[in-house]
């Protein structure tokens, strides 16, 4: 028997009124979604947060709260901040690789323009100093991009 | 006059006992840190989360909770999920650039090995099909990396 209550009201064992603020974002067919958010934030905090937002932004907010809640349940120590660290590492790795590749191109171009200096195959390993400098530049460009002084 | 209470107990207007679980992570000289975390999660949820963790992981957990709380206060709709989207875009951009650059190298290498086919300067814009394919590969490699089906 369906009571017609949303997942939140069902979880909280209360009547689900027509103006229930949680109802559109926590449908009865997905009880786990509200259970996760409730466990991390509590129903009162989620309600307050949604109430402060204009209606057209509430669905996105409920989605992002659910995402963060799931991350925190899976990783109680770091939550989705762990994901941010991981992405930062990936960016740094991709950036470093890009700078090395661009340096390789620069060397190849200079070789194409002045082919008499060295044979091509010997060049790719010969500019370690340039690559190290490029690595340092990559480090600088991505430092403090995310932490913003919070942690 | 200092009461010797931690920021949490001071905020909650209660005695701060020797075994206060919040005290090490919310010192009295940083009241805003607890206020942020309290506003998003509530004291009870933060306490429960820390209680479930071994002592040596609690400081990191408190830091990441504070980070997420600050993100949510600054961006009530997306919180730190907004940051994750931003980082994903940066990764995709760096990856695409890397693949294009690697394709450029491949063309230059083939030109160096067979210099009679085309002059160098004409080559860099001539492999659009290859670059488009590389872009698609980059899209594939990073799709679903973070969302993990939560949202």
């Amino acid at each position: 028997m369906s009571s017609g209550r949303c997942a939140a009201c069902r979880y909280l064992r209360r009547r689900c009124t027509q103006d229930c603020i949680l109802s559109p974002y926590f449908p009865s067919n997905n009880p786990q979604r509200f259970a996760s958010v409730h466990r991390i934030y509590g129903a009162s905090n989620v309600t307050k947060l949604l109430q402060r937002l204009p209606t057209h932004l509430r669905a996105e907010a409920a989605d992002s709260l659910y995402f963060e809640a799931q991350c925190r349940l899976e990783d109680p120590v770091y939550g989705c901040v762990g994901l941010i660290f991981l992405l930062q590492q990936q960016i740094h790795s991709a950036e470093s690789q890009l700078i090395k590749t661009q340096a390789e191109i620069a060397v190849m171009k200079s070789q194409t323009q002045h082919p008499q200096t060295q044979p091509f195959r010997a060049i790719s390993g010969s500019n370690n100093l340039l690559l190290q400098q490029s690595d340092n530049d990559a480090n600088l460009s991505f430092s403090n991009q995310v932490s913003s002084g919070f942690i």
Side-chain angles (χ1 to χ4, degrees), chain A:
Chain A
M1 190 185 86
S2 166
S3 65
R5 291 181 295 177
C6 73
C9 291
R10 194 185 281 259
Y11 187 97
L12 300 167
R13 297 169 189 272
R14 66 184 186 189
R15 278 185 59 224
C16 191
T17 59
Q18 200 122 30
D19 60 349
C20 170
I21 195 169
L22 299 174
S23 165
Y25 318 113
F26 298 100
S28 59
N29 62 359
N30 191 356
Q32 190 263 323
R33 181 174 156 96
F34 181 74
S36 298
V37 164
H38 179 261
R39 189 157 166 211
I40 299 301
Y41 298 98
S44 160
N45 286 325
V46 173
T47 303
K48 272 190 259 174
L49 193 137
L50 294 178
Q51 273 169 340
R52 284 189 210 110
L53 292 173
T55 314
H56 71 281
L57 294 174
R58 290 176 185 170
E60 294 276 286
D63 281 347
S64 72
L65 285 170
Y66 175 53
F67 181 85
E68 286 185 33
Q70 282 293 99
C71 285
R72 181 64 60 179
L73 289 171
E74 288 184 13
D75 180 353
V77 179
Y78 295 104
C80 71
V81 177
L83 215 53
I84 289 172
F85 290 155
L86 193 75
L87 289 170
Q88 279 184 305
Q89 282 170 3
Q90 284 183 6
I91 287 176
H92 179 246
S93 164
E95 280 276 319
S96 299
Q97 215 181 330
L98 180 61
I99 288 168
K100 281 179 188 171
T101 311
Q102 283 169 338
E104 195 179 345
I105 283 188
V107 173
M108 288 171 79
K109 278 185 180 170
S110 88
Q111 282 302 312
T112 311
Q113 282 157 7
H114 311 288
Q116 71 285 2
T117 51
Q118 281 181 30
F120 166 70
R121 295 234 170 256
I123 295 160
S124 44
S126 70
N127 57 338
N128 287 336
L129 205 64
L130 176 62
L131 298 187
Q132 277 168 14
Q133 183 57 46
S134 303
D135 257 355
N136 292 340
D137 292 347
N139 283 329
L140 284 172
S141 69
F142 282 92
S143 66
N144 303 320
Q145 186 130 23
V146 164
S147 62
S148 307
F150 291 147
I151 291 181

